[in-house]
Amino acid sequence: EPEVTQTPSHQVTQMGQEVILRCVPISNHLYFYWYRQILGQKVEFLVSFYNNEISEKSEIFDDQFSVERPDGSNFTLKIRSTKLEDSAMYFCASSESRSAYEQYFGPGTRLTVT
Amino acid sequence: QKEVEQDPGPLSVPEGAIVSLNCTYSNSAFQYFMWYRQYSRKGPELLMYTYSSGNKEDGRFTAQVDKSSKYISLFIRDSQPSDSATYLCAMSARDAGGGYNKLIFGAGTRLAVHP
């Protein structure tokens, strides 16, 4: 069964460093998303991406964040200068259409900022 | 008022019990209602979804939506230890482009089913 994959599974970085989180969505999917979950808190929407541009972004997704689909298979989330409060699980999701129930989530990348 | 509220639990039940999980919401524009299951340090996995009001059944799971009360429920019959996980409700409203991009999640309810 096709699945969304994410690398690395765990990333440790120092405050102020740049990180890139990588995702490989399901191959025939066209819509891509990033969510994050701070430990003990709810899953929060960050951004949606379609046709090489951002469709929607949340207030959390400020200028420190960017997304890119550098080739036909990868979808990345970059945090330019990490802060302690960026420590969280980051989940990538993809869907074939813009139907809410069709988003398939990856296993997540745990980002720890020290 | 939070957009989606969900009692975080934990909820502990004996094997075989009927489990009732609930969420309330404030945004009347929500039209899709989903239930996800999440194991520790894993991604959410879709269990069921409902569009607008009504009930939906899938095996031991039943999802109910009452839009007039802004209240959704997930019932698990004959609960098993393997059902032990965190259950997240999620909702979506139509966006300006006509799709349902953004999921708004509840905090999740931790469920433990003991043998």
Side-chain angles (χ1 to χ4, degrees):
Chain A
E1 185 176 323
E3 57 183 17
V4 176
T5 59
Q6 290 184 243
T7 54
S9 57
H10 187 198
Q11 172 94 47
V12 181
T13 189
Q14 289 190 326
M15 196 167 48
Q17 296 297 303
E18 174 184 287
V19 294
I20 297 176
L21 309 182
R22 301 179 194 281
C23 168
V24 178
I26 294 173
S27 62
N28 63 330
H29 286 186
L30 301 175
Y31 299 85
F32 314 109
Y33 314 85
W34 284 101
Y35 292 81
R36 80 170 185 191
Q37 185 176 31
I38 294 170
L39 187 63
Q41 297 186 26
K42 58 175 67 177
V43 176
E44 300 173 289
F45 171 82
L46 291 178
V47 66
S48 58
F49 188 87
Y50 168 70
N51 201 25
N52 277 322
E53 60 183 33
I54 290 173
S55 307
E56 187 172 357
K57 60 183 180 180
S58 71
E59 292 173 355
I60 304 166
F61 195 89
D62 60 23
D63 292 344
Q64 292 299 311
F65 291 89
S66 62
V67 289
E68 192 178 32
R69 187 154 163 83
D71 53 42
S73 59
N74 289 284
F75 179 51
T76 62
L77 174 69
K78 182 193 291 186
I79 309 175
R80 257 179 277 285
S81 177
T82 50
K83 303 189 271 288
L84 294 176
E85 54 265 36
D86 293 327
S87 295
M89 280 289 280
Y90 287 82
F91 295 108
C92 173
S94 70
S95 65
E96 193 173 357
S97 71
R98 286 189 299 165
S99 297
Y101 59 89
E102 288 189 341
Q103 291 187 27
Y104 289 85
F105 284 76
T109 292
R110 183 155 62 102
L111 176 65
T112 302
V113 182
T114 62
Chain B
Q1 183 182 15
K2 293 180 184 175
E3 258 192 309
V4 180
E5 301 216 39
Q6 183 177 9
D7 187 337
L11 186 61
S12 182
V13 301
E15 185 175 353
I18 296 174
V19 175
S20 172
L21 304 166
N22 312 292
C23 289
T24 59
Y25 62 95
S26 58
N27 186 351
S28 56
F30 287 141
Q31 291 187 287
Y32 275 100
F33 304 89
M34 279 69 62
W35 285 96
Y36 286 84
R37 179 172 59 197
Q38 185 178 28
Y39 295 109
S40 182
R41 299 191 182 277
K42 301 292 184 187
E45 171 196 358
L46 180 68
L47 278 175
M48 298 182 70
Y49 76 92
T50 310
Y51 176 72
S52 194
S53 277
N55 295 355
K56 192 170 188 177
E57 190 172 318
D58 184 2
R60 297 185 294 112
F61 298 86
T62 300
Q64 289 184 351
V65 174
D66 181 348
K67 291 193 78 177
S68 62
S69 302
K70 296 190 178 70
Y71 187 87
I72 71 170
S73 301
L74 177 71
F75 297 96
I76 307 174
R77 288 182 298 282
D78 187 25
S79 55
Q80 303 294 310
S82 56
D83 295 328
S84 299
T86 296
Y87 289 80
L88 313 173
C89 63
M91 309 181 186
S92 187
R94 187 189 292 271
D95 59 33
Y100 296 85
N101 265 326
K102 184 167 75 173
L103 302 184
I104 307 297
F105 283 86
T109 300
R110 272 196 298 138
L111 170 67
V113 181
H114 52 86

